[in-house]
Amino acid sequence: QESENGDLMRCSACKKAVYCTPTCQKAHWPYHKSSCKNAAGMMASQLRPRTLVGLRNLGNTCYMNTALQCLRRVEELTNLFLTNRYKGEINTDNPLGKGGKLALAYGTMCKGFSFSLHKCFSPRSFLMNVATLLPQFTPFQQHDSHELVNVLLDTLHEDLNLIRKKPYVQLKDDKGRSDEDVAMEHWQNHLARNQGALVDLFQGQYKSTLACPDCDHHARKFEPFWSVTLPIPERVVKEVNVTLYPPPHLASKQRPVRLSVPVTRRATIGGLKDMVSRIEDVNTDPSQLVATLHRGKRFSKVAGDGRSLTTIGTKDVIHMYTTIEAS
């Protein structure tokens, strides 16, 4: 390091990054090393920043702490704020943003979080800014972490949107065109109104299709998203025995089949039908199956699709009947 302008110090490898103290330089090293041209000559043992920092719970703020920890691990996003590059992209005229206030608050929080010399950082100032700029997140109340991530990304994007004047975009008729062509057109229309680092890092498109039951017209639409939600796989709890009967016109030729189907704790009759229908030797539609409950050899009742398997007694036996011939 070299002293310059009083207490300011430069990176001794690249001579470009300027720091106020050696502690600041050490804390910034994980984010500076990727851009430092002479990083290969630096001794890793000389720079040991604290990379594991927790966030203090300020009272029902677990949802916010979770969201901030997830966003901090996106290195490209964190570097954007730690290097102050975001300040050159602030859009103060965007009515959909917060005049750059949220971006500045997030940048300040990100630096305090990343350069903390303690094992725990308190995001109280950022919490107050969120309460002011995003009033739907009342402080010290429980909220959804995923919702906060999406709202933060969307608002930060609008604060840093490179499009200063959004043009009006009219969608064309998609009849007879391929999904690739329509998707690209929707994406280009989106980019005409939205550009920036957050779009490049996070956004993609969902495809949705709407079908008219009368005229069979199908309308396609592609909408942008910030994140994709994925279900957590459930552990198989037990196996349910099902006796499957063939369609009535095949009853004389085919015998009932005994199936053992693995199910989870939250499984329902409807879900059981779906799993049975996907068995290779069955190959039928779930709507063609009717489930009934039998106690011994006596019929008990017809089981609706919404019924949970946990409500079925140990003495009940599940029978399924194929109502029409599978196509």
Side-chain angles (χ1 to χ4, degrees), residues 80-81 84-94 97-107 155-164 195:
L80 175 69
F81 285 91
N84 287 335
R85 286 188 290 115
Y86 77 97
K87 290 186 176 180
E89 302 176 2
I90 290 179
N91 187 340
T92 58
D93 300 324
N94 187 354
K98 302 298 179 181
K101 294 179 180 178
L102 185 64
L104 291 170
Y106 185 83
T155 310
L156 286 173
H157 158 64
E158 295 296 353
D159 270 3
L160 305 176
N161 197 342
L162 298 178
I163 303 299
R164 293 315 194 239
Q195 288 190 27

Side-chain angles (χ1 to χ4, degrees), residues 10-311:
R10 287 186 180 274
C11 172
S12 59
C14 66
K15 311 296 184 183
K16 292 184 178 180
V18 180
Y19 304 99
C20 55
T21 64
T23 301
C24 178
Q25 192 263 349
K26 289 182 180 181
H28 185 247
W29 173 244
Y31 309 97
H32 174 58
K33 63 181 179 181
S34 60
S35 61
C36 182
K37 293 184 178 180
N38 300 314
M42 299 290 288
M43 298 265 314
S45 60
Q46 296 176 351
L47 300 168
R48 295 184 180 179
R50 184 181 297 280
T51 57
L52 298 179
V53 180
L55 290 172
R56 191 178 303 280
N57 190 337
L58 305 175
N60 289 330
T61 58
C62 295
Y63 75 95
M64 185 184 75
N65 293 351
T66 303
L68 295 181
Q69 288 281 18
C70 289
L71 293 178
R72 179 179 180 261
R73 299 308 298 174
V74 182
E75 187 174 351
E76 296 85 354
L77 177 67
T78 301
N79 284 340
L80 175 69
F81 285 91
L82 292 184
T83 58
N84 287 335
R85 286 188 290 115
Y86 77 97
K87 290 186 176 180
E89 302 176 2
I90 290 179
N91 187 340
T92 58
D93 300 324
N94 187 354
L96 299 179
K98 302 298 179 181
K101 294 179 180 178
L102 185 64
L104 291 170
Y106 185 83
T108 302
M109 183 280 306
C110 195
K111 290 177 182 177
F113 186 8
S114 300
F115 297 163
S116 175
L117 299 179
H118 306 283
K119 293 182 179 181
C120 188
F121 174 75
S122 176
R124 182 176 297 274
S125 178
F126 183 72
L127 175 65
M128 294 298 101
N129 279 288
V130 168
T132 301
L133 300 173
L134 304 173
Q136 65 267 43
F137 296 101
T138 308
F140 313 116
Q141 300 293 322
Q142 294 183 354
H143 298 283
D144 183 72
S145 181
H146 178 246
E147 180 186 1
L148 177 62
V149 168
N150 283 337
V151 173
L152 272 179
L153 290 176
D154 188 59
T155 310
L156 286 173
H157 158 64
E158 295 296 353
D159 270 3
L160 305 176
N161 197 342
L162 298 178
I163 303 299
R164 293 315 194 239
K165 187 175 181 181
K166 296 188 177 186
Y168 172 75
V169 176
Q170 186 173 3
L171 296 178
K172 300 178 182 178
D173 187 7
D174 64 357
K175 187 176 182 180
R177 299 161 60 192
S178 66
D179 280 351
E180 291 78 7
D181 290 341
V182 178
M184 181 57 68
E185 179 185 319
H186 278 71
W187 185 246
Q188 293 299 328
N189 289 340
H190 179 68
L191 292 182
R193 297 171 54 86
N194 301 275
Q195 288 190 27
L198 277 80
V199 172
D200 298 337
L201 286 174
F202 293 96
Q203 283 199 330
Q205 285 189 142
Y206 281 128
K207 175 192 173 184
S208 59
T209 304
L210 182 64
C212 177
D214 296 326
C215 65
D216 199 34
H217 173 72
H218 288 68
R220 291 171 294 177
K221 190 174 183 180
F222 295 85
E223 298 178 299
F225 63 81
W226 286 109
S227 60
V228 178
T229 57
L230 299 175
I232 299 176
E234 291 189 83
R235 182 171 58 89
V236 173
V237 176
K238 62 178 180 178
E239 292 189 345
V240 174
N241 293 323
V242 178
T243 302
L244 178 65
Y245 291 83
H249 67 283
L250 297 177
S252 61
K253 300 179 181 180
Q254 297 181 6
R255 300 183 62 182
V257 180
R258 188 74 177 267
L259 303 173
S260 182
V261 184
V263 297
T264 61
R265 190 183 306 276
R266 299 181 183 180
T268 61
I269 290 292
L272 183 62
K273 285 183 181 180
D274 183 63
M275 297 185 71
V276 169
S277 68
R278 286 187 278 132
I279 296 176
E280 184 176 356
D281 294 336
V282 178
N283 192 26
T284 189
D285 191 278
S287 62
Q288 298 173 355
L289 298 175
V290 175
T292 61
L293 300 181
H294 294 251
R295 184 157 296 180
K297 295 183 178 180
R298 299 180 58 184
F299 168 78
S300 176
K301 64 181 69 175
V302 175
D305 287 353
R307 178 164 184 165
S308 173
L309 295 183
T310 58
T311 64

